[in-house]
Amino acid sequence: GGHGNGANMEVIHNLVDYRDDIQRNVEYINDDDGKTIVHTTTTSKNPEVSEWIQTHVAQMRTLVENGGRIRKWDPLFREIFEHHDEIDFEWNNIEEITESEDGVEAFLVGTTSCGESLAVAHAKVVSAFIDYGRPEMWAEHEPPSNCS
């Protein structure tokens, strides 16, 4: 229902508003099969913010598994939801890495070239949301050219 989406959006807006409290690290690891593993850690020393990060990832996971969508007006996110079954996604909550800096660690691996491109594009856009805030949230993002 619409209510669930409202709850999702509230968490997203909170995260963007508190983006200065968020630490994000993205690395691209080439595995033995020549695939790119996208490894992200997104954490905060602010306990409320780290809880929002964990909540957001769980909410998005549920949304995808239930065939839900957000950002339907954004071409990149349309493709991500369209091709979500081409991205292997594993994540775990991080509790107290250093001085109670908590959050989420995620690994995304595309099982097709499109899935791989989307995993990389998604990581970059999420980082951009954190770097630039609301103006970036209102921007449309081009999907990779190898997805159609």
Side-chain angles (χ1 to χ4, degrees), residues 9 12-13 15-17 19 24 70-71 73-77 120-143:
M9 290 314 299
I12 290 167
H13 288 134
L15 288 169
V16 170
D17 289 343
R19 61 196 178 85
R24 182 166 163 87
I70 59 165
R71 295 184 68 87
W73 50 269
D74 187 332
L76 172 61
F77 281 79
V120 170
H122 177 266
K124 289 183 173 161
V125 166
V126 171
S127 296
F129 290 156
I130 295 167
D131 289 343
Y132 306 115
R134 289 199 177 217
E136 190 68 35
M137 280 185 68
W138 295 327
E140 290 187 23
H141 301 90
E142 277 303 302

Side-chain angles (χ1 to χ4, degrees), residues 4 9 29 50 57 60 66 92 101 107 112 114 120 138 144 147:
M9 290 314 299
I29 306 157
S50 62
V57 174
M60 291 303 103
N66 295 333
N92 43 275
E101 187 178 320
F107 295 91
T112 63
C114 169
V120 170
W138 295 327
C147 296

Side-chain angles (χ1 to χ4, degrees), residues 1-2 13 15 19 26-27 29 37 48 50 55 62 82 88 102 109-110 115 118-119 127 133 135 139 143 148:
H13 288 134
L15 288 169
R19 61 196 178 85
V26 179
E27 52 179 348
I29 306 157
I37 300 168
E48 198 171 19
S50 62
T55 299
T62 303
E82 196 64 38
D88 286 338
D102 300 340
V109 184
L118 288 171
S127 296
S148 53

Side-chain angles (χ1 to χ4, degrees), residues 58-69:
Q59 284 175 338
M60 291 303 103
R61 189 79 204 132
T62 303
L63 187 75
V64 167
E65 284 169 354
N66 295 333
R69 305 276 166 117

Side-chain angles (χ1 to χ4, degrees), residues 85-122:
D85 56 348
E86 297 170 40
I87 303 169
D88 286 338
F89 176 79
E90 286 178 37
W91 57 283
N92 43 275
N93 287 342
I94 298 167
E95 309 290 344
E96 301 191 7
I97 312 183
T98 51
E99 305 164 17
S100 77
E101 187 178 320
D102 300 340
V104 168
E105 174 180 46
F107 295 91
L108 293 87
V109 184
T111 56
T112 63
S113 66
C114 169
E116 207 171 345
S117 299
L118 288 171
V120 170
H122 177 266

